[in-house]
Amino acid sequence: MAAEILKTKAEQGFADQFTAGKSALPGAGNAWAEGLRDAAWETYASVGLPHARVEEWKYTDLRRLLSEAYPPAPALAEALNGDDVAKALGSVLAGLECHRLVIVDSQFRPELSDLGGLEGMGDIQSLGDQLSSPADWLKQTLTQITPQQNDTVIALNTALMSGGITLRIGDNVVLDKPVHIVHVVAAKEAASVTLRNVISIGAAAKVCLLESYVSLADTPLQRNAVSELIAGDGSDVQHIKFQNENMDSSHLTSWMTRLGADVTYKAFQFSIGAAVARNQIFVTFAGEGSTSHVSGAVMGRGKQHNDTTMVIDHAVPGCESREFNKLVLDGSARGVVQCKAIVRKHAQKTDGHQMAQALMLSEMAEFDSKPELEIFADDVVCGHGSTSGQVDDELMFYLRARGIPEPQARALLIAAFVGEAIEKVSSEPIREAFRSMSETWLEGEGA
Amino acid sequence: MLEIKNLHVKIAEDDTEILNGIDLTIPKGEVHAIMGPNGSGKSTLAYVLAGKNDYEVTEGSISWNGDDITELDPDERAAAGVFLAFQYPIEIPGVATMTFLRTSMNAVRKARGQDELSTPDFMRVVKAKAKELNIKDDKLKRPLNVGFSGGEKKRQEILQMSLLEPTLCVLDETDSGLDIDALKIVAEGVNALRGPERAMLVITHYQRLLNYIVPDMVHVLSEGKIVRSGGKDLALELEKSGYAEYGEAAA
Ligand SMILES: Nc1ncnc2c1ncn2[C@@H]1O[C@H](COP(=O)(O)OP(=O)(O)OP(=O)(O)O)[C@@H](O)[C@H]1O
Ligand SMILES: [Mg+2]
């Protein structure tokens, strides 16, 4: 009886792209890669873009928010130089001491990257090349990391991915500088960019990864990016994202992370850009004794929509998870935090806690928080909390009684509020960069 | 000179009157103490002097050195020299004490037409004053007042007061929560600020503080009115007799 649901314009657009473009996508001709894409397309096409009646997407109705599908960014992007990349990043992040990998649209651009010092530590390839002659490790990794392959946005990504990188860090490697994966868009016309990064961190390695997503101009962009990450036993991984895409962009990113045993995983996402952003973070504990701390700061104004959705899967005993998100919402911005913690039957001694806090700078701003605990084990400690409020009058009075004028007092308190989230970033230079960018955001307050 | 004339104050949200016609004059160079039972309006008076907008002045006026400050914002009053040491200093998570002190000092200096302090000068003056008040360096590194004991918070208030160099100091129960040694240190800090250009209003429940900070006058506040004024010996008398007599008188 199920009537064929009419495709939206965007859905029709993606369908046309897949049919017409599939033979030109990387990995075409390789049976494994084609098989992956076809299966993913079927998964996606059976349901189409997520909409408000899909529980996980109830606050972010992509059917409504994506009015059309932009064509994929042309494979041979405009000539960009290092200055362009620096400009897109902003001076604070451009100055970061790091190993830098630059991805323009979806193409890895070694000539813009700075990989000095990584020799012998790891291996970096373009995903496109890898898909044409996939190594065994990739076959065992790509789409295998967490159970969220059937999420429609991820399935769409698998079907249409046109680039990205693979990064493998060897066992016991300790990197002294962050690896900064810069995603910059250079397309001159409205474009979509669908890319996939696959990252494997060796046992006992210690790595700080920063993914930044920035725009060079105000060309409208539809981004669908997925990062799959495996953290080997005993590794120590900081996984950080900075998102400042232009206000005509929609930004869909999904992190799928699998942690081995005794891993310390610290994720942080700092989002200030894009008209619509959906940040999905899926963490699966696959080995005992690991810790996952996922935190974030969102600063939104105007009509920005920012949705952070997390699923933390305690599949094994004895792990600790923390999720801590802070949002500053001005104008008629909307912030969403959803976090589902699953504690499987055998995952005893799980210790999980989540907190989401919003500071509302305007009466029109909106905050939705949806914590979910699915606990099947009995010996666990789990909790959640959520708050939302305005700038505290008592604190304001105290600061003003000390001579600090109102706008400055307000900025100080807002900075302090997000500062408590930014503090979670262990890497000092990145933490300070975020602090400084949060202050810059505040200077644009009311502007 | 502080001149409070016929001051009537109500809570802004409802119509509860808290101060019912206060007249009080404190010439420059003098220290006046206010004592009175719980709930008599002492903190309200202090807040109103500092410009808290939970309260509404329905009648009367406050002037400092001839300028009417009744309508000024709290930061404008601070610039004009008013300082309130809070009865319950507030914790501000996420704001580093040094950042706060620096922002505050520079804001006040700017408003008073002085240059901002350079970082080394700022550090020097803060360290020196903190040392006088026996405040350890690690307290300056923490977020403002977060996790401080009651006494430590009170010392921070006096540190801020000596850094901002106000001319009208209002101390709301700065002595409560202080141990005997801290009381002496804080009193020394306050006495160091006494001078011909400064007026002070010291709110306290205990005569003991007034042994260290000797007032020129003592006033008794009861049910939102000053019901008696006298010399420093009035505090000794109150210590013996309590406030019963004033409660009845006002009722
Ligand atoms: N913002 C407010 N909202 C409601 N009631 C208030 C408010 N501020 C003061 N009051 C009331 O006004 C009265 C005076 O309070 P105030 O704090 O000024 O007393 P106080 O003399 O300082 O007392 P204490 O000795 O206990 O410090 C009290 O009854 C108090 O409950
Ligand atoms: Mg009081």
Side-chain angles (χ1 to χ4, degrees), chain B residues 149-201:
Chain B
S149 75
E152 288 167 345
K153 287 179 186 166
K154 295 298 178 73
R155 267 186 266 190
Q156 287 284 337
E157 295 290 290
I158 302 306
L159 172 65
Q160 292 168 26
M161 183 164 96
S162 44
L163 291 172
L164 293 179
E165 302 182 334
T167 46
L168 174 61
C169 305
V170 181
L171 286 83
D172 191 358
E173 294 196 31
T174 301
D175 52 336
S176 38
L178 291 181
D179 64 42
I180 298 160
D181 296 333
L183 182 67
K184 284 186 194 156
I185 293 167
V186 163
E188 275 168 27
V190 172
N191 284 328
L193 285 166
R194 283 180 88 149
E197 289 305 312
R198 283 204 174 93
M200 293 193 185
L201 181 64

Side-chain angles (χ1 to χ4, degrees), chain A residues 276-310:
Chain A
V276 176
R278 162 92 167 189
N279 321 297
Q280 310 201 91
I281 302 165
F282 305 119
V283 177
T284 294
F285 288 101
E288 298 184 22
S290 289
T291 301
S292 160
H293 288 195
V294 177
S295 319
V298 170
M299 302 182 93
R301 57 162 62 103
K303 293 195 166 105
Q304 282 182 284
H305 176 108
N306 194 299
D307 172 344
T308 298
T309 293
M310 295 161 279

Side-chain angles (χ1 to χ4, degrees), chain A residues 394, chain B residues 10-14 16-19 34-47 52 54-55 87-88 172-173 203-205 221 224:
Chain A
E394 297 294 319
Chain B
K10 71 175 190 74
I11 294 167
E13 279 181 1
D14 55 45
T16 320
E17 277 252 328
I18 302 181
L19 303 181
I34 290 197
M35 303 181 82
N38 294 131
S40 56
K42 303 180 298 297
S43 292
T44 302
L45 175 61
Y47 279 141
K52 196 174 197 204
D54 299 24
Y55 305 100
Q87 180 174 0
Y88 304 109
D172 191 358
E173 294 196 31
I203 297 168
T204 183
H205 283 296
L221 190 68

